[in-house]
Amino acid sequence: AIKFNAGKMIQTFLLGLLLMYVWLVIGVWLLYDEHEDGLCTNMFQCFFSYFYLTMRGDGVKDVSKDPAFGDNLYDFTDPLQGSMMLRTIWDMLFQFIFLYILIAIITGIVIDAFGGLKEEREAAEDDLAANCFVCNLDRFQVDQKGIGFDKHVASEHNPRWYLFFLLHIKQRPRAKLTGQEDYVLSKVWPPEGKTPTYRWLPREQTLSMAEEEGEEEESAVVALSEQVTNLEAKMQAHFAKIEEALSGKS
């Protein structure tokens, strides 16, 4: 699933790093004295401290000194008493943006990827349940005109039999192959420079349905022949009546 949506995850991660860099620049600019000693002596050290400590712990609280809370609302909001209000806003926004929203986006991407893989698997399973893997005939058509879809897949076009057949002709010495086996081998594993083809597979046709269609065509021919014979007999009877009428008048 991670490989499935790697591009989106990398883009989100890079966006998070960019926002984190902007955030630490604002923090160092406005609240440099609030940072722990030795964590932000230069930008590289400060960025690595933010990335390593804040994402693994409680946000920017892990790179800041212990807060000094005022005794009342005035002390909390008075800029002359310190920067507690600014630090609180800065800290809480970091917590909300990075630890809640960004992580939720990455989690959503992973969940969507798993959902997409599940949908693809279910679609493939539905296709195998509704269509023959070898000849691509649908279930309804084989049930109506053939020997039944399940029996067709098990006895006529069993994918395992085709796999065993390919393994057989691949491992068997070419001199011992029959003409049909050599033909299939040359199509599946052609000489270098040629593209493999699978036109030797039966596409939308099967022996049982071909026999059924042949029987239907034969029945139609017999029925048509009977209709022609009956029509011919009726015409001969009409001609006989006409001849009798003409001979009576004469």
Side-chain angles (χ1 to χ4, degrees), residues 31-49:
L31 300 167
Y32 181 78
D33 294 335
E34 298 291 335
H35 288 74
E36 287 283 356
D37 296 335
L39 294 181
C40 279
T41 56
N42 56 63
M43 294 304 295
F44 174 79
Q45 185 188 56
C46 194
F47 177 77
F48 192 77
S49 299

Side-chain angles (χ1 to χ4, degrees), residues 233-247:
K234 290 180 180 180
M235 292 182 67
Q236 289 178 355
H238 285 298
F239 287 144
K241 291 179 179 180
I242 293 172
E243 288 179 359
E244 290 177 0
L246 293 175
S247 59

Side-chain angles (χ1 to χ4, degrees), residues 43-114:
M43 294 304 295
F44 174 79
Q45 185 188 56
C46 194
F47 177 77
F48 192 77
S49 299
Y50 269 72
F51 177 74
Y52 184 75
L53 296 176
T54 60
M55 300 302 293
R56 296 174 65 248
D58 299 324
V60 293
K61 174 179 175 296
D62 293 330
V63 296
S64 305
K65 297 177 181 178
D66 293 334
F69 298 101
D71 296 331
N72 50 57
L73 182 61
Y74 176 78
D75 293 339
F76 180 78
T77 57
D78 186 10
L80 299 178
Q81 301 292 330
S83 54
M84 191 61 205
M85 183 178 71
L86 179 61
R87 174 177 171 175
T88 302
I89 296 173
W90 176 67
D91 193 343
M92 297 303 295
L93 284 177
F94 182 92
Q95 190 89 5
F96 183 75
I97 294 174
F98 290 91
L99 301 187
Y100 296 153
I101 295 180
L102 186 62
I103 299 300
I105 291 174
I106 296 176
T107 304
I109 292 173
V110 175
I111 293 174
D112 288 343
F114 276 111

Side-chain angles (χ1 to χ4, degrees), residues 137-189:
L137 283 170
D138 61 87
R139 175 182 288 272
F140 179 79
Q141 191 173 1
V142 179
D143 285 339
Q144 294 295 317
K145 299 181 180 180
I147 59 175
F149 184 79
D150 294 332
K151 187 176 180 180
H152 165 77
V153 172
S155 61
E156 284 190 318
H157 289 167
N158 193 322
R160 294 185 181 89
W161 293 355
Y162 280 82
L163 176 61
F164 296 154
F165 172 70
L166 293 176
L167 293 175
H168 165 73
I169 63 175
K170 181 65 174 176
Q171 297 175 359
R172 189 176 177 85
R174 191 152 192 169
K176 295 182 179 181
L177 296 177
T178 64
Q180 293 86 348
E181 291 173 342
D182 186 71
Y183 171 77
V184 174
L185 181 67
S186 65
K187 294 299 182 181
V188 180
W189 291 282

